[in-house]
Amino acid sequence: MSLLERAGLAVLRRMDPETAHDLALRALSRGLGPSPGPLSGPRLHTRVGRLGLINPVGIAAGFDKNAVAIDALSRCGAGFAEYGAATPRPQPGNPRPRLFRLAEDGAAINRFGFNNDGAGAIAARLAAQPTGMIRGLNLGANKDSADRAGDYVEVLRLAGPHIDFATVNVSSPNTAGLRDLQDKAALADLLARVVAARGADDMALFVKIAPDLDDAALADIAEVTTQAGLDGIVATNTTVRRDGLRSAHRDEAGGLSGRPLMAPSTRVLARLSTLTDLPLIGVGGIASAEDAYAKIRAGASAVQLYTALSYGGLSLVADIVKGLDRLLARDGHASVAEAVGTDRAAWL
Ligand SMILES: Cc1cc2nc3c(=O)[nH]c(=O)nc-3n(C[C@H](O)[C@H](O)[C@H](O)COP(=O)(O)O)c2cc1C
């Protein structure tokens, strides 16, 4: 981490967390931020369905909801970035405060509720800034929509030409009723419509699930997602559970992310990998190269992170990519693919 980044983080940590994140994004959008350049190497290349990634470490959805820091994210060393969530119409989200720092736990709780500039504005930013990096958009539905499945299709229609992948987010805990779209029949219908909307395009499609699902629900999702012909599953979003937290904000409503999510989210990932051959993207609680490697060994072909970046800065991405390469080499793996699922049993 550079001195500038260290000083910046120290200042941001004393501010309201949403204001701090907005300021950090503004700084990134003005050209500040780490620039290690594209990080790759023979061991780091990985495939997730039809996506070929130069390295397996991605920026998770929600970090740059409105795609205002595209250039900075494409320079930070990540292998891919997911923007959004975007909804068809702009919406303000829930009243503030709606993001809480749980520093003692290395965690955060958010109840943003899909605040975003709308798919049209976000698609225009993506269109104006093509980069060499693989990028995707997290698809959401407006809170007051009468046809939520139609919302996902509409966002895809607007942004599709400017992205390499889209993630159907049916797992945000902050839009009432949204997670019901994970139920078997509803999900089958939604995914059929989204797949039809993709048409002949070669964009990859993923679905993102909650960590709070039991085995029967995971089996249903694995079956429906495979049948729909998706490219993979993103596991997981934030949790509504609260176990063993110490911070004052632990009882705030919303989704919990960060360190306490690592174990439950990785268990769901490992479980899911026994139920499907689809590639999985592991997200939830990653704060180090060791965590990223654990997700891969639990069954993930690629990983994403968000909360640890607000504690460690964007330079953490490059540290994780380089550390992961060393861990793969240490264990004699010639590629990420060779390591995928090699320690699944530890999480079951
Ligand atoms: C403030 C905040 C906003 C988020 N917004 C979204 C979102 O819009 N769509 C989504 O699929 N996930 C969203 N997430 C979830 C993250 O993408 C990720 O799945 C989750 O935080 C677990 O990863 P982490 O522990 O590395 O943060 C958000 C997370 C946070 C902390």
Side-chain angles (χ1 to χ4, degrees):
M1 189 187 297
S2 69
L3 269 178
L4 183 65
E5 192 176 12
R6 200 183 299 271
L9 281 172
V11 173
L12 293 174
R13 216 168 287 139
R14 275 185 236 116
M15 303 171 67
D16 157 72
E18 182 171 351
T19 309
H21 189 71
D22 288 346
L23 266 180
L25 278 179
R26 203 169 307 165
L28 290 174
S29 71
R30 304 233 161 113
L32 288 175
S35 279
L39 294 179
S40 194
R43 273 184 295 270
L44 288 169
H45 278 274
T46 187
R47 284 211 78 78
V48 186
R50 67 193 79 189
L51 287 186
L53 304 175
I54 62 164
N55 77 58
V57 181
I59 307 293
F63 182 86
D64 185 5
K65 283 179 183 284
N66 291 312
V68 295
I70 294 173
D71 187 50
L73 294 195
S74 68
R75 283 186 288 107
C76 76
F80 62 116
E82 183 171 334
Y83 299 93
T87 57
R89 283 171 288 115
Q91 63 178 25
N94 292 320
R96 291 172 77 151
R98 53 194 181 173
L99 175 61
F100 303 88
R101 208 182 269 123
L102 281 69
E104 296 91 327
D105 300 301
I109 291 176
N110 90 83
R111 51 169 179 270
F112 271 115
F114 287 161
N115 57 311
N116 75 106
D117 293 344
I122 293 170
R125 285 180 201 131
L126 288 164
Q129 264 189 293
T131 63
M133 184 196 230
I134 296 288
R135 64 196 190 174
L137 187 62
N138 190 259
L139 313 179
N142 280 115
K143 183 182 171 184
D144 58 357
S145 169
D147 173 21
R148 287 204 166 142
D151 278 19
Y152 292 89
V153 167
E154 176 62 4
V155 177
L156 193 62
R157 187 184 70 75
L158 290 165
H162 316 298
I163 52 179
D164 306 292
F165 71 95
T167 304
V168 179
N169 175 7
V170 284
S171 47
S172 168
N174 301 314
T175 297
L178 192 91
R179 282 172 301 158
D180 296 344
L181 291 169
Q182 292 176 123
D183 293 347
K184 197 172 184 183
L187 188 62
D189 175 63
L190 169 61
L191 295 184
R193 287 178 68 180
V194 172
V195 167
R198 168 175 64 180
D201 202 345
D202 63 356
M203 180 202 315
L205 282 177
F206 303 117
V207 66
K208 183 168 179 180
I209 64 164
D212 310 317
L213 299 166
D214 61 21
D215 280 6
L218 289 177
D220 283 349
I221 288 170
E223 184 189 325
V224 166
T225 307
T226 306
Q227 270 168 9
L230 261 63
D231 291 80
I233 303 174
V234 183
T236 67
N237 214 312
T238 55
T239 179
V240 292
R241 300 220 173 102
R242 300 286 186 271
D243 297 321
L245 301 176
R246 293 180 294 145
S247 309
H249 292 304
R250 65 186 169 210
D251 293 323
E252 290 293 343
L256 173 74
S257 59
R259 201 167 60 214
L261 185 56
M262 177 69 191
S265 174
T266 309
R267 277 198 290 273
V268 165
L269 169 78
R271 191 95 225 140
L272 194 57
S273 77
T274 67
L275 298 167
T276 179
D277 291 330
L278 284 177
L280 306 177
I281 297 177
V283 50
I286 294 175
S288 65
E290 285 74 16
D291 294 338
Y293 191 43
K295 292 266 190 213
I296 289 169
R297 295 185 5 111
S301 296
V303 299
Q304 295 176 313
L305 74 162
Y306 176 170
T307 303
L309 301 178
S310 55
Y311 289 106
L314 203 51
S315 63
L316 182 61
V317 172
D319 294 345
I320 291 179
V321 175
K322 291 176 194 161
L324 189 56
D325 194 36
R326 281 193 294 271
L327 291 168
L328 289 164
R330 181 197 70 188
D331 293 348
H333 294 302
S335 66
V336 173
E338 262 188 33
V340 174
T342 49
D343 196 28
R344 179 189 294 128
W347 297 93
L348 296 175

